Amino acid sequence: MCGIAGFSSFEKDYLIQRKRWDDILGEMRHILRHRGGDQEGQFLEKHIGLSHSRLSIRDVVGGAQPMIRRQNGKEYAIVYNGELYNVDELKRILSNHDFSTTTDTEVLLYGYMEYGPDFFSQLNGIYAAAIWDGGLEQLVLVRDRAGVKPLFYTLRNGELIFGSEPKALFQHPEVCPEIDRESLREIFGIGPARTSGHGVFKGVKELEPGQFAVFDREGFRAAYYWRLQAREHEDDYKDTVARTAFLVRDAVERQMVSDVPVCSFLSGGVDSSIVTALAANFLGRQGGRLNTFSFDFTGNAQYFQSNVFQPEQDRAYVEIMLSVHPELNHTFLECGEERL
């Protein structure tokens, strides 16, 4: 998990008051530091400011952001939060480029430089990114198909301000945390959830899943590069089981790519148990062991009360998983007043 933030305006020259705008980028970055404190970086030019707080997963040393590349005398920069699961396939499409890192960030940037927003439909992963196109003088935002990674934005006096969380926007002098009637509808009518695309605060929106947006001298335009479609299910039971098993296994194994140790949270539920079993099998074939973690509360066995949301305690089912998969390197963490 990383934090991205920034702003763009074609009516301002950020370099005239460079220190002031550098400081604002720093404040936006700092407020998101809990999303990743391994590396930090900023990029500021005449009409664009980008900041990044990184949790290092791939190419820990060489993957610093903002990442900047040049082509035909034009400058391109990206800040990115997420992970692509089809990097090898994408690199074959981009074989004419010389990659200097092993990061998916560089793959996404070169892909945009080569194909523009059309490249987004080729991505398999979870991501939110902002790309500055110095050739066309435009800022491009993009969010993954399922909306796993967040990306909020607002437009104030011809300026686009964006960030992984609304609090990053509030570090900008033009943005204050205000509410309006729409905010109250979101809080009291839908909360704790909210309507997709709404940022709750007045004037704050969220790029929707499967959307990208372009901001240039003509203004702000958002469009879908992918939308979920309903289709008739034609497979029989046997094929359905086989296809579902393949898709789940493929999804888990693609997400095991990392330059740092991978772990799973094992709650004992069906979802986490399936993911843990598949991940453990994958690592086992490579001679590794999966680290797993479970959480419980002090006194839970004594004070637990069944309810509709959680009819049973989790720990018994965690113990079953550990008996079936003794190869797991498991840790129980007990949370209470003295240990959080």
Side-chain angles (χ1 to χ4, degrees):
M1 184 170 70
C2 302
I4 66 174
F7 43 72
S8 178
S9 172
F10 297 96
E11 299 174 4
K12 294 179 180 179
D13 183 346
Y14 295 121
L15 299 182
I16 292 177
Q17 294 181 294
R18 180 163 200 142
K19 184 181 185 307
R20 175 177 183 249
W21 292 108
D22 263 330
D23 288 345
I24 292 170
L25 280 176
E27 292 168 1
M28 297 175 81
R29 187 193 70 240
H30 181 74
I31 203 73
L32 296 175
R33 196 176 188 276
H34 63 280
R35 300 181 65 88
D38 293 331
Q39 291 177 329
E40 297 177 328
Q42 296 178 192
F43 172 82
L44 185 67
E45 292 295 341
K46 185 175 182 179
H47 298 302
I48 181 67
L50 303 174
S51 68
H52 189 263
S53 187
R54 185 185 185 210
L55 180 67
S56 301
I57 302 296
R58 290 186 177 181
D59 199 338
V60 174
V61 176
Q65 298 182 46
M67 184 174 287
I68 303 167
R69 296 292 183 267
R70 292 173 177 84
Q71 181 174 277
N72 299 326
K74 305 299 182 182
E75 189 172 59
Y76 301 82
I78 183 173
V79 286
Y80 163 73
N81 166 34
E83 187 172 13
L84 299 181
Y85 306 136
N86 60 336
V87 166
D88 292 340
E89 295 95 322
L90 295 175
K91 280 190 172 181
R92 287 194 287 270
I93 298 174
L94 302 168
S95 58
N96 58 317
H97 289 274
D98 293 325
F99 291 91
S100 59
T101 75
T102 59
T103 64
D104 46 352
T105 309
E106 191 176 28
V107 172
L108 178 53
L109 183 55
Y110 276 141
Y112 172 83
M113 291 166 61
E114 185 77 19
Y115 298 103
D118 290 342
F119 186 68
F120 299 150
S121 62
Q122 303 295 317
L123 305 179
N124 177 348
I126 54 176
Y127 47 85
I131 301 172
W132 172 248
D133 185 330
L136 297 177
E137 282 203 317
Q138 64 182 22
L139 176 64
V140 179
L141 305 180
V142 62
R143 191 176 180 210
D144 64 76
R145 302 182 185 196
V148 175
K149 295 300 183 180
L151 188 53
F152 296 89
Y153 70 91
T154 187
L155 290 163
R156 301 293 169 96
N157 301 316
E159 185 174 19
L160 175 66
I161 303 121
F162 69 90
S164 296
E165 299 177 19
K167 66 177 76 173
L169 279 58
F170 302 146
Q171 308 310 304
H172 191 283
E174 295 289 336
V175 188
C176 295
E178 303 176 273
I179 62 172
D180 56 12
R181 179 175 294 183
E182 192 69 21
S183 304
L184 296 175
R185 288 171 176 166
E186 291 290 318
I187 295 170
F188 294 110
I190 304 178
R194 56 183 170 78
T195 307
S196 179
H198 289 256
V200 178
F201 294 94
K202 181 180 179 180
V204 175
K205 300 182 182 298
E206 182 183 37
L207 200 66
E208 295 189 30
Q211 269 193 336
F212 75 94
V214 175
F215 179 69
D216 56 20
R217 297 181 187 276
E218 303 300 317
F220 180 89
R221 304 175 300 282
Y224 290 95
Y225 66 91
W226 182 87
R227 300 191 80 165
L228 183 65
Q229 296 179 349
R231 299 177 182 174
E232 184 177 354
H233 184 73
E234 298 178 345
D235 293 344
D236 60 21
Y237 178 80
K238 181 179 179 181
D239 289 340
T240 298
V241 172
R243 181 170 176 80
T244 301
F246 166 77
L247 290 174
V248 174
R249 186 178 298 108
D250 182 67
V252 172
E253 293 184 356
R254 282 180 180 270
Q255 295 181 47
M256 297 295 290
V257 178
S258 175
D259 292 333
V260 295
V262 176
C263 72
S264 72
F265 290 131
L266 179 58
S267 70
V270 173
D271 296 348
S272 73
S273 297
I274 290 175
V275 170
T276 296
L278 292 173
N281 290 339
F282 177 80
L283 283 180
R285 294 196 298 270
Q286 299 178 342
R289 295 178 66 190
L290 181 67
N291 296 316
T292 58
F293 296 86
S294 296
F295 297 84
D296 205 352
F297 296 95
T298 301
N300 194 32
Q302 179 181 357
Y303 299 110
F304 176 82
Q305 293 183 356
S306 177
N307 55 59
V308 174
F309 177 75
Q310 188 175 8
E312 299 174 288
Q313 294 185 63
D314 295 333
R315 187 155 186 158
Y317 296 96
V318 173
E319 298 287 359
I320 293 173
M321 271 294 295
L322 295 178
S323 67
V324 175
H325 292 275
E327 75 279 11
L328 295 175
N329 185 23
H330 188 74
T331 301
F332 271 111
L333 297 175
E334 190 170 273
C335 304
E337 293 182 1
E338 299 179 356
R339 183 177 177 183
L340 298 175

